[in-house]
Amino acid sequence: MTSVHVDKAFKEPVRFIKKLEDTSVIVGQPLKIVCTYTGSQRVHVTWKKDDKLIWASYQYNVLTTDSTCSLEVLYSDRPAAAGKYSCEISNEAGSDVCHAHVSLGKGTSTNLPTAFHSSANLLSNFFYFVRWCIISEHFQHLLRCCMDREIL
């Protein structure tokens, strides 16, 4: 009599179904890169910037769900935010990696950043607005608001 052992705990290798994409971000705008994956759980996620490990810190927010990896660069107004970002995923059955090149540029738009409109806190709105005016060299917005007493 021959016996056959069937492993009921089949593990599907992880693989990206939406990879990171190269992007260009206007200085001072939020920078968030996202990828999605499939595969059996107990997935290990590693982020790298310019081939060096990075993790959640005062510079980065990292979020991983059952199918999504996201990295938010908190200081995207600094030149160091530009570079090659990599997300590596692995489980017991396999691994995958994807990359994105991020570049920074100065914006020419005079529209306020969407984050300015979405914040409910007036004081944080004010400081965000002042910071945006300085970084994006749109001092005329700050002066106009002060002259019209919209922010005083």
Side-chain angles (χ1 to χ4, degrees):
M1 179 185 253
T2 306
S3 70
V4 177
H5 175 70
V6 177
D7 185 7
K8 292 182 181 180
F10 173 75
K11 299 286 185 180
E12 179 187 355
V14 291
R15 66 180 175 82
F16 287 106
I17 52 178
K18 181 182 177 289
K19 296 188 176 201
L20 297 175
E21 297 177 0
D22 292 351
T23 187
S24 180
V25 177
I26 296 173
V27 172
Q29 293 294 308
L31 170 54
K32 185 174 185 178
I33 53 177
V34 179
C35 50
T36 57
Y37 64 89
T38 187
S40 297
Q41 282 307 303
R42 215 36 141 37
V43 176
H44 179 71
V45 177
T46 304
W47 285 95
K48 293 182 180 180
K49 180 182 178 292
D50 298 327
D51 298 318
K52 295 178 183 159
L53 285 174
I54 57 175
W55 48 87
S57 66
Y58 69 95
Q59 293 178 313
Y60 305 103
N61 277 337
V62 175
L63 178 66
T64 303
T65 68
D66 288 345
S67 61
T68 304
C69 308
S70 67
L71 176 74
E72 181 181 12
V73 180
L74 300 176
Y75 296 101
S76 60
D77 55 337
R78 296 183 182 168
K84 175 186 162 189
Y85 289 86
S86 304
C87 183
E88 299 176 7
I89 54 174
S90 62
N91 66 6
E92 292 177 354
S95 63
D96 199 1
V97 63
C98 62
H99 312 278
H101 292 275
V102 173
S103 59
L104 299 178
K106 285 193 172 190
T108 56
S109 171
T110 59
N111 295 328
L112 288 175
T114 56
F116 179 81
H117 299 289
S118 64
S119 175
N121 184 328
L122 183 59
L123 188 58
S124 68
N125 259 352
F126 171 73
F127 289 116
Y128 185 88
F129 177 70
V130 170
R131 181 174 175 263
W132 176 79
C133 287
I134 293 169
I135 290 170
S136 62
E137 299 176 1
H138 286 105
F139 299 110
Q140 72 275 10
H141 289 298
L142 183 58
L143 292 173
R144 185 177 332 121
C145 287
C146 289
M147 296 293 286
D148 294 341
R149 296 186 183 270
E150 291 179 16
I151 59 174
L152 296 178

